Amino acid sequence: MVHESFATTTRGLRQDTLPYRLFQKAKKLGGWDPNDIDFSQDIVDWNSLTEVQRAGTLRLLAQFQAGEEAVTLDLLPLIMAIAKEGRLEEEMFLTTFLFEEAKHTEFFRLLLNALGVTEDLTQYHSPTYRKIFYEILPESMNRLLTDQSPEAIADASVVYNMFVEGVLAETGYWSFYEGLHKTGKMPGLMKGIGYLKRDESRHIGYGTFLLQRLICEHPPLFERMVNRLQQLAPLSLALNQEGAQGNEGSPFGVPAEAVIQFSMTQIHARIDVLKRALGKSIDEIYRIPEAVVGVE
Ligand SMILES: [Fe+2]
Ligand SMILES: [Fe+2]
């Protein structure tokens, strides 16, 4: 492949587009450093948690830790597909996306190190967790190495941005806020979760834009995306049920049904936001305000 022209020496940067605005936001808000977070109170609090609370928190941490590593390892094929299409503003944003996932991975490991957790956490990866993070996510993303069709990009983004980030991670943050956060304990962990959640709102916002752009360019893809999300929904249900079945039960008094309910609401919210692309012009899609796609 050779270059026939360059965006910045022909049309210039499209500063009014969502990807460019997300890039600006990421430079301002995504620069936090996990090394600056003070975990000293977390170390004290960790030892004051009940056995059940510690186990429940460790399960969530073990899932986030590997989940952040997985999204760091698996994003590149999507960036390559976007770059190959010459979508410069999207690729510029994606450089911050990958950087942030690397920092999220670092954040959880620094916390675990501070807490003195040295055990192998694989035991917390339940069968459904493995199905999603060991198989479905890497397979969907790596397919883009050989197949960069709109269908393959749509499938990858539905799994990565809508399901893993938009449903599973969002449900995880919710669990932290509903549970641990209400005890007032582990302020370093909660501070990091706050940063992560804000970064993730840009990632999900970009994924929403990407899928809406694909729907606008190829309207039949909408149905394909909805079908894929509906196929994935039972996995979210199973993942949360497996979590509830652990010995830890409901460590912070958050009922398992409420967690499952929240994750199902997220699935429907993702479908609703994609539906809004139907009938829109490509120009309208590029100009979507950040707030409309949930960017904090
Ligand atoms: Fe992340
Ligand atoms: Fe993310």
Side-chain angles (χ1 to χ4, degrees):
M1 197 183 109
V2 297
H3 291 296
E4 269 151 29
S5 66
F6 290 96
T8 45
T9 45
T10 53
R11 62 171 168 83
L13 286 168
R14 295 188 57 190
Q15 301 184 358
D16 57 343
T17 62
L18 181 72
Y20 186 84
R21 280 181 267 124
L22 289 177
F23 180 53
Q24 303 312 310
K25 263 207 146 133
K27 284 186 291 175
K28 289 205 171 69
L29 302 174
W32 63 280
D33 185 348
N35 289 285
D36 292 340
I37 297 182
D38 177 5
F39 292 124
S40 52
Q41 185 59 40
D42 297 63
I43 297 166
V44 176
D45 291 344
W46 185 243
N47 295 313
S48 78
L49 296 178
T50 66
E51 198 82 14
V52 170
Q53 289 177 332
R54 229 180 357 250
T57 305
L58 198 53
R59 176 178 59 81
L60 212 46
L61 289 174
Q63 297 196 341
F64 264 110
Q65 178 70 82
E68 296 291 359
E69 180 174 334
V71 294
T72 304
L73 293 172
D74 296 335
L75 184 63
L76 272 170
L78 176 67
I79 302 183
M80 288 167 74
I82 296 297
K84 205 167 161 190
E85 292 177 3
R87 300 182 187 275
L88 181 66
E89 294 82 356
E90 289 187 42
E91 193 200 337
M92 287 165 83
F93 169 67
L94 286 168
T95 63
T96 69
F97 191 137
L98 183 55
F99 170 64
E100 287 166 6
E101 298 302 9
K103 274 197 308 175
H104 299 171
T105 305
E106 182 190 24
F107 166 73
F108 285 108
R109 195 59 250 182
L110 291 181
L111 170 69
L112 290 168
N113 291 352
L115 299 177
V117 176
T118 53
E119 66 187 284
D120 186 338
L121 300 173
T122 312
Q123 55 170 314
Y124 293 98
H125 297 165
S126 62
T128 306
Y129 183 88
R130 286 170 164 271
K131 180 94 199 134
I132 299 166
F133 288 93
Y134 289 56
E135 293 172 33
I136 296 175
L137 178 68
E139 281 168 3
S140 308
M141 301 309 290
N142 287 322
R143 181 174 148 212
L144 297 178
L145 294 172
T146 51
D147 174 4
Q148 300 180 341
S149 63
E151 288 78 11
I153 296 177
D155 291 352
S157 175
V158 165
V159 170
Y160 191 117
N161 304 115
M162 297 297 102
F163 187 64
V164 168
E165 295 186 315
V167 177
L168 302 186
E170 287 285 319
T171 305
Y173 303 137
W174 184 84
S175 299
F176 272 127
Y177 280 106
E178 288 297 303
L180 181 64
H181 186 55
K182 292 194 171 163
T183 67
K185 290 180 177 176
M186 307 206 62
L189 167 59
M190 288 315 302
K191 189 170 190 182
I193 294 289
Y195 288 139
L196 251 79
K197 193 169 173 297
R198 195 173 61 186
D199 291 349
E200 290 301 333
S201 79
R202 290 190 296 277
H203 303 176
I204 300 165
Y206 170 75
T208 305
F209 158 83
L210 170 61
L211 290 169
Q212 287 201 345
R213 168 168 74 63
L214 288 166
I215 293 169
C216 192
E217 291 162 346
H218 315 274
L221 282 179
F222 173 66
E223 229 176 88
R224 186 187 177 99
M225 294 170 194
V226 173
N227 289 340
R228 189 75 186 109
L229 263 174
Q230 281 169 345
Q231 279 168 2
L232 293 164
L235 291 175
S236 165
L237 197 72
L239 183 67
N240 290 307
Q241 276 164 346
E242 285 166 356
Q245 274 160 10
N247 320 334
E248 70 265 23
S250 176
F252 297 98
V254 186
E257 306 80 57
V259 180
I260 288 166
Q261 186 56 46
F262 181 86
S263 74
M264 290 301 122
T265 307
Q266 288 299 307
I267 296 260
H268 294 299
R270 299 302 152 208
I271 293 173
D272 282 347
V273 73
L274 294 180
K275 198 185 274 170
R276 289 191 215 143
L278 294 168
K280 282 221 173 87
S281 70
I282 196 76
D283 233 49
E284 284 174 286
I285 306 264
Y286 272 102
R287 284 173 215 273
I288 306 174
E290 288 97 303
V292 172
V293 287
V295 176
E296 289 173 29

